[in-house]
Amino acid sequence: MEPVAEPVAEPVAEPVAEPVAEPVTEPVAEPVAEPVAELVAEPIAEPISISVQDDAFPLEGGTGVGTNVEAESDVDSEEFLSEYCSGGSSKTTSLAPSVFSYTYANGRRYHSDRFKSEYFMPNDETEQSRLDLYHHIFGLLLGGKLYTAPLDHPQRVLDVGTGTGLWAIDFAEENPGCEVIGTDLSPIQPAWVPTNVKFEVDDMEEQWTYPNNHFQYIHIRSLSGSFTDWDRVLKQAYKALEPGGYVEFQDYGCQVFLSDGTLLDRDSDKYPIASYFHHVMGAAERQGKPMVVAPTMKERMEKVGFVQCKARIEIWPLGLWPKDKRLKEIGKWGLLGTLESLYPFGVHIMTKEGWSPERIKELCDWTAKGMYKNNYYTTGWFVYGRKPEEAVY
Ligand SMILES: C[S@@+](CC[C@H](N)C(=O)[O-])C[C@H]1O[C@@H](n2cnc3c(N)ncnc32)[C@H](O)[C@@H]1O
């Protein structure tokens, strides 16, 4: 583990300045949202097959998987995007001193290859802006809360795979008496942070170096697809937690649904995103780093020994189609986030499967166009478990 002596990234104030996806130039002639009834009439996928734990509970304001979400018929997602994206960018590029010898591929910058773990997303400024956008989405999903576990004034907290560190910084600000450690493969955290937060560079798939029974809370957000052995990570979290402490996993479910609750779980000509997910999620699975881990997380925690485990699922629309105001707001950023993510998310994984960058771009462009015409949502998962009071290490 190495303390980060000179954090290298400037805080990114604006969430997103440049869209990753190319603007879709074709005007949308049809209304963005089709009536749910029509979508139901032509399902391309089998009825919902996602497995949700029996006692998975939507907490206050929460919803469940397979929910039919009411759509509005005349929203224009493209208009939103063109307005949002026309603001231009005043961002400057400030490259890190290469203490960790970054690697470069696909026109992007990735973490150093000195680590055994290979993480599939870049770590450059564009990626940092994307992470900050997702931090905003998670905030909307939880109504501004940073966690769902019933915490009671924790003194020591660990944020695994902290990224740009925004979660760790916010948590440290909310809990000035708590020491927060954020750890990541990449030293991309800002320099000016509250005094009670510190960042370290480490590979969390390796042996953890923290003392046993140390933290009261360990937070793991947006790491689906990052680890080959989730059970080992959870076991290490269990050891590092004080008895009575909580581990919490937060992520999107890596599954897409139509607004009527139909799971799009197979290749499709009609719904490009289904095709995208089919290829990318399938490849990630074959490469040993599965993405669809959220629905398995509660059971994994229980197997490791955590108790009082709870899973909360939130609807995460990918477009402006929901009638409900809160969901529409989430959907706006959910759409932008998806468009930003499609190519960088897919390119590293699919080139390993022998796809050319051009073929991946084609799939992403087609998927992006489909985003405006269909009412999609994914799910946000918030799963926590408690280390038993009587645990010995
Ligand atoms: C999608 S980002 C999420 C960042 C942050 N948790 C958030 O929610 O904003 C995943 C982060 O996990 C880090 N990561 C991936 N594999 C890791 C590993 N084996 N050890 C430590 N960090 C890792 C990546 O470098 C990246 O910054």
Side-chain angles (χ1 to χ4, degrees):
M1 172 194 354
E2 303 190 21
V4 179
E6 297 174 63
V8 293
E10 291 172 1
V12 180
E14 288 172 30
V16 178
E18 298 158 40
V20 168
E22 289 187 345
V24 176
T25 48
E26 281 175 27
V28 180
E30 309 140 56
V32 173
E34 289 175 23
V36 167
E38 277 176 36
L39 293 177
V40 177
E42 294 179 76
I44 66 134
E46 287 171 346
I48 310 304
S49 63
I50 187 171
S51 74
V52 182
Q53 297 86 353
D54 286 346
D55 61 343
F57 68 104
L59 293 177
E60 207 183 324
T63 33
V65 172
T67 305
N68 185 348
V69 184
E70 202 177 352
E72 224 171 36
S73 58
D74 59 351
V75 285
D76 191 339
S77 300
E78 272 190 293
E79 193 180 281
F80 152 70
L81 283 173
S82 60
E83 266 174 32
Y84 185 81
C85 300
S86 64
S89 164
S90 59
K91 279 198 309 179
T92 54
T93 306
S94 78
L95 275 187
S98 269
V99 277
F100 297 115
S101 57
Y102 295 132
T103 56
Y104 295 82
N106 315 309
R108 302 293 301 268
R109 192 188 75 192
Y110 292 82
H111 68 80
S112 161
D113 57 9
R114 59 180 259 157
F115 296 109
K116 219 160 132 195
S117 270
E118 186 188 311
Y119 174 58
F120 66 105
M121 290 296 272
N123 68 4
D124 51 23
E125 288 208 3
T126 308
E127 171 62 5
Q128 291 169 36
S129 299
R130 195 190 70 89
L131 292 182
D132 294 349
L133 166 61
Y134 275 84
H135 180 66
H136 179 61
I137 297 175
F138 277 106
L140 291 172
L141 286 167
L142 288 186
K145 281 200 73 176
L146 293 168
Y147 54 89
T148 64
L151 302 185
D152 183 18
H153 301 97
Q155 300 298 299
R156 287 176 300 279
V157 162
L158 176 67
D159 185 27
V160 175
T162 194
T164 53
L166 284 192
W167 184 92
I169 293 166
D170 285 357
F171 192 91
E173 273 173 356
E174 266 184 23
N175 300 273
C178 175
E179 179 195 303
V180 183
I181 298 177
T183 181
D184 203 283
L185 292 174
S186 290
I188 54 170
Q189 300 77 33
W192 300 102
V193 296
T195 50
N196 57 328
V197 65
K198 120 175 155 196
F199 294 115
E200 296 171 348
V201 175
D202 207 355
D203 181 348
M204 299 306 277
E205 284 216 277
E206 294 291 302
Q207 190 64 42
W208 291 16
T209 52
Y210 303 107
N212 292 344
N213 302 319
H214 185 65
F215 297 105
Q216 284 93 31
Y217 180 58
I218 297 180
H219 174 255
I220 310 176
R221 189 175 75 181
S222 288
L223 275 106
S224 299
S226 294
F227 297 139
T228 41
D229 191 346
W230 270 96
D231 296 343
R232 179 160 184 261
V233 170
L234 289 174
K235 274 181 199 153
Q236 303 215 61
Y238 185 92
K239 270 189 159 184
L241 276 171
E242 228 178 54
Y246 289 92
V247 67
E248 179 160 347
F249 165 96
Q250 305 186 350
D251 211 344
Y252 81 104
C254 293
Q255 289 173 311
V256 182
F257 302 83
L258 292 176
S259 59
D260 67 0
T262 305
L263 173 66
L264 299 179
D265 63 350
R266 54 171 87 154
D267 204 1
S268 160
D269 287 336
K270 183 167 180 195
Y271 299 111
I273 202 167
S275 198
Y276 177 93
F277 268 66
H278 168 79
H279 288 297
V280 178
M281 304 300 148
E285 183 97 37
R286 285 191 291 281
Q287 290 166 20
K289 290 199 171 178
M291 299 266 183
V292 190
V293 291
T296 69
M297 199 48 64
K298 180 167 172 273
E299 204 182 321
R300 284 179 192 277
M301 285 181 185
E302 285 164 349
K303 242 170 63 191
V304 164
F306 288 104
V307 294
Q308 296 164 24
C309 301
K310 304 272 187 215
R312 166 175 171 175
I313 303 162
E314 290 286 336
I315 299 287
W316 179 330
L318 307 175
L320 282 82
W321 55 264
K323 253 193 175 155
D324 177 85
K325 264 194 174 166
R326 172 182 165 271
L327 290 179
K328 188 190 286 295
E329 178 68 9
I330 298 169
K332 182 163 90 174
W333 303 114
L335 172 64
L336 193 58
T338 307
L339 295 176
E340 291 253 326
S341 304
L342 288 172
Y343 188 72
F345 210 83
V347 69
H348 187 84
I349 293 170
M350 296 314 296
T351 44
K352 280 179 147 186
E353 301 270 305
W355 283 41
S356 67
E358 292 72 32
R359 185 172 170 207
I360 299 156
K361 183 139 190 339
E362 225 169 80
L363 175 65
C364 293
D365 287 348
W366 180 53
T367 306
K369 283 184 189 175
M371 299 293 303
Y372 305 107
K373 297 187 182 137
N374 295 291
N375 302 340
Y376 299 132
Y377 72 82
T378 183
T379 42
W381 287 74
F382 302 86
V383 189
Y384 70 79
R386 185 173 204 211
K387 179 168 172 176
E389 292 285 359
E390 62 280 11
V392 281
Y393 67 80

